[in-house]
């Protein structure tokens, strides 16, 4: 059974600082997703990572994937308050059907002035 | 711009009632999904569908059923609602890679 673990689950950081959220998964995966969720809102797709060594960046967020280590990271550079949200990673099991995403429990990020 | 809509944002039902949650997408996506989201548990897949009249169980299908009579519409049915089905329900659709999520329905079962 595929398990997806994120850490930390809660993260409080000051504006301007850097930090990394980790996403480990237990079996082979075809691809990995990162989503953002604001309180009371739905999920917004941030990144889709398809291959080993994939790196994608959008603004202050950068995601990478190491399929050999079964690890993805979401790096936050010079955090700002607008980045406060819950971030989820999700994977599709290798050989699984197209949509069967397995989600981590989410990392609740709070950026303080 | 992909749009996934859900019939209600908030819903309150009584134990034992039959509950229908509707989801509609406007992008001709083949795949549609129902998840529930609970604090500390993340999102868990209930059912998904990859074509009209086709469905597959996700991780937690017990107590739920689904219907997909038309490509754009995917319904989640709680045959006899129970208090442990109080949750946020999220619908999503996809064509290939990214899944697009609806705004969610917060269901409370009393």
């Amino acid at each position: 059974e595929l398990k997806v673990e994120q850490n930390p689950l809660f993260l409080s950081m000051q504006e301007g600082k850097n930090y990394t959220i980790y996403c480990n998964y237990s079996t082979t995966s075809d691809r990995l997703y990162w989503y953002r969720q604001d309180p009371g809102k739905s999920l917004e797709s941030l990144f889709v990572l398809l291959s080993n060594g994939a790196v994608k960046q959008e603004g202050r967020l950068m995601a990478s994937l190491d399929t050999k280590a079964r690890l993805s990271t979401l790096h936050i550079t010079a955090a700002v308050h607008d980045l406060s949200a819950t971030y989820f990673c999700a994977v599709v099991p290798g050989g699984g059907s197209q949509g069967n995403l397995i989600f981590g429990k989410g990392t609740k990020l709070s950026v303080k002035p | 711009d992909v749009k996934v809509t859900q019939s209600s944002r908030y819903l309150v039902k009584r134990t034992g009632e039959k509950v229908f949650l509707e989801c509609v997408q406007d992008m001709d996506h083949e795949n549609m999904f129902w998840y529930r989201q609970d604090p500390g548990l993340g999102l868990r897949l209930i059912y998904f569908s990859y074509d009209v009249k086709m469905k597959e169980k996700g991780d937690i299908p017990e107590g739920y059923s689904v219907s997909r009579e038309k490509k754009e519409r995917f319904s989640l049915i709680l045959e006899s609602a129970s208090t442990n089905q109080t949750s946020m329900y999220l619908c999503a659709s996809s064509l290939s890679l990214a899944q697009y999520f609806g705004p969610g329905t917060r269901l409370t079962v009393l």
Side-chain angles (χ1 to χ4, degrees):
Chain A
E1 180 189 343
L2 175 63
K3 291 186 178 178
V4 180
E5 293 187 354
Q6 285 181 239
N7 71 84
L9 297 182
F10 298 93
L11 178 55
S12 180
M13 37 187 315
Q14 283 191 309
E15 281 191 329
K17 299 290 187 184
N18 303 334
Y19 210 85
T20 301
I21 299 170
Y22 297 88
C23 175
N24 288 91
Y25 52 98
S26 59
T27 63
T28 307
S29 175
D30 288 321
R31 50 190 179 268
L32 189 137
Y33 298 77
W34 283 98
Y35 286 90
R36 168 182 172 144
Q37 186 178 37
D38 291 296
K41 300 286 182 65
S42 191
L43 275 74
E44 173 192 352
S45 179
L46 294 174
F47 302 109
V48 182
L49 302 169
L50 299 177
S51 59
N52 188 43
V55 177
K56 290 197 174 180
Q57 184 163 3
E58 180 76 33
R60 299 174 188 273
L61 300 177
M62 184 173 71
S64 65
L65 178 62
D66 181 343
T67 57
K68 293 180 181 177
R70 295 177 185 164
L71 170 69
S72 179
T73 60
L74 181 66
H75 187 72
I76 303 154
T77 301
V80 293
H81 179 70
D82 285 352
L83 290 179
S84 297
T86 299
Y87 293 86
F88 292 92
C89 65
V91 301
V92 176
S97 61
Q98 197 172 78
N100 196 13
L101 285 180
I102 308 297
F103 280 82
K105 293 184 179 179
T107 297
K108 186 171 183 179
L109 172 65
S110 175
V111 180
K112 300 182 186 302
Chain B
D1 199 21
V2 177
K3 194 165 184 182
V4 180
T5 57
Q6 295 181 227
S7 49
S8 305
R9 292 299 306 275
Y10 300 93
L11 208 53
V12 180
K13 295 292 182 180
R14 296 203 176 274
T15 301
E17 280 193 77
K18 191 169 185 176
V19 182
F20 293 86
L21 303 181
E22 304 283 341
C23 175
V24 177
Q25 50 95 2
D26 66 356
M27 285 302 292
D28 203 34
H29 285 172
E30 302 285 343
N31 309 306
M32 296 187 74
F33 313 87
W34 275 106
Y35 296 88
R36 64 177 282 177
Q37 182 177 20
D38 300 287
L41 296 177
L43 279 82
R44 292 177 291 167
L45 182 65
I46 305 171
Y47 268 97
F48 64 102
S49 167
Y50 50 86
D51 202 352
V52 175
K53 296 192 186 294
M54 306 299 285
K55 61 185 179 184
E56 283 199 27
K57 294 180 180 179
D59 299 316
I60 50 164
E62 296 79 18
Y64 302 95
S65 62
V66 290
S67 171
R68 191 156 181 212
E69 296 296 319
K70 293 184 178 181
K71 193 174 187 180
E72 67 270 18
R73 188 180 298 269
F74 191 34
S75 301
L76 180 69
I77 304 155
L78 287 67
E79 297 290 342
S80 177
S82 63
T83 54
N84 63 13
Q85 292 179 309
T86 292
S87 186
M88 170 70 88
Y89 290 88
L90 290 164
C91 173
S93 73
S94 77
L95 185 60
S96 55
L97 291 178
Q99 288 193 13
Y100 298 89
F101 283 81
T105 296
R106 185 165 293 282
L107 172 68
T108 301
V109 182
L110 302 175

